[in-house]
Amino acid sequence: MGSSRQSACFAVGDRLDPSVATTPLSPTYSDDGVVVHWLRYHLVLVTRRQRPFFEDAALAARADVLIRQAAKGLECRVAVCEVRPTHVVLEVEAPAGLSPLSVATRIARGAAGPLKAENEAVRRSGAAFVHRYLVSTEAVPEGDCAAFVARVPTR
């Protein structure tokens, strides 16, 4: 009974210090005052018609910056951002109040506007990303990612 060890179960209304982990493998939880959570979404954003916009290293670097800015504006944290020639693979830690669709849509739109304004090839295509996203709570296997990208029309 006199144990100083913290229980892994919490009553409604208890506040969890996010820095306290119950095991070495525990994630760092966030506490917004209502929900203690750790939500990570894995996203795949595909360029319009699979155009290889991001073969250009400068444009790929700019996309990375804009994606991170868009995520920060949503109070999300980008853990991984891999900008590939025809798509972007992200791992995003998000607040509990944002749906996965909202996270994907708002990050894509937040990056697409400036990309379109700053780059002629993106502007001529009409959009930076398609409006179909792959969203998962688990890492997306490379084969699944490739299959999803391949399903995006090229014409």
Side-chain angles (χ1 to χ4, degrees):
M1 289 277 175
S3 174
S4 63
R5 192 170 163 217
Q6 184 170 353
S7 170
C9 297
F10 302 93
V12 174
D14 283 354
R15 296 294 298 241
L16 173 66
D17 178 353
S19 67
V20 176
T22 57
T23 73
L25 300 176
S26 293
T28 302
Y29 294 94
S30 296
D31 184 352
D32 65 9
V34 177
V35 177
V36 175
H37 65 282
W38 185 78
L39 296 172
R40 281 221 172 164
Y41 301 121
H42 299 264
L43 313 172
V44 179
L45 310 176
V46 183
T47 60
R48 181 168 178 146
R49 298 187 179 164
Q50 295 185 48
R51 291 198 170 121
F53 297 136
F54 305 127
E55 283 181 340
D56 175 350
L59 190 58
R62 181 67 176 140
D64 184 285
V65 168
L66 291 169
I67 286 166
R68 290 176 188 278
Q69 285 176 351
K72 187 175 181 182
L74 297 171
E75 297 181 10
C76 294
R77 187 181 73 78
V78 175
V80 175
C81 181
E82 295 177 19
V83 181
R84 300 176 184 178
T86 62
H87 61 284
V88 179
V89 178
L90 297 166
E91 183 178 342
V92 179
E93 190 172 323
L98 290 177
S99 72
L101 176 61
S102 182
V103 171
T105 302
R106 292 167 72 180
I107 288 175
R109 286 183 183 167
L115 285 172
K116 192 173 174 181
E118 298 170 9
N119 184 274
E120 183 63 28
V122 177
R123 183 174 28 255
R124 277 188 278 120
S125 78
F129 301 106
V130 295
H131 296 285
R132 185 171 177 88
Y133 316 112
L134 187 144
V135 181
S136 176
T137 56
E138 296 288 330
V140 179
E142 193 59 41
D144 292 358
C145 183
F148 176 74
V149 171
R151 289 180 53 191
V152 173
T154 57
R155 293 184 173 223

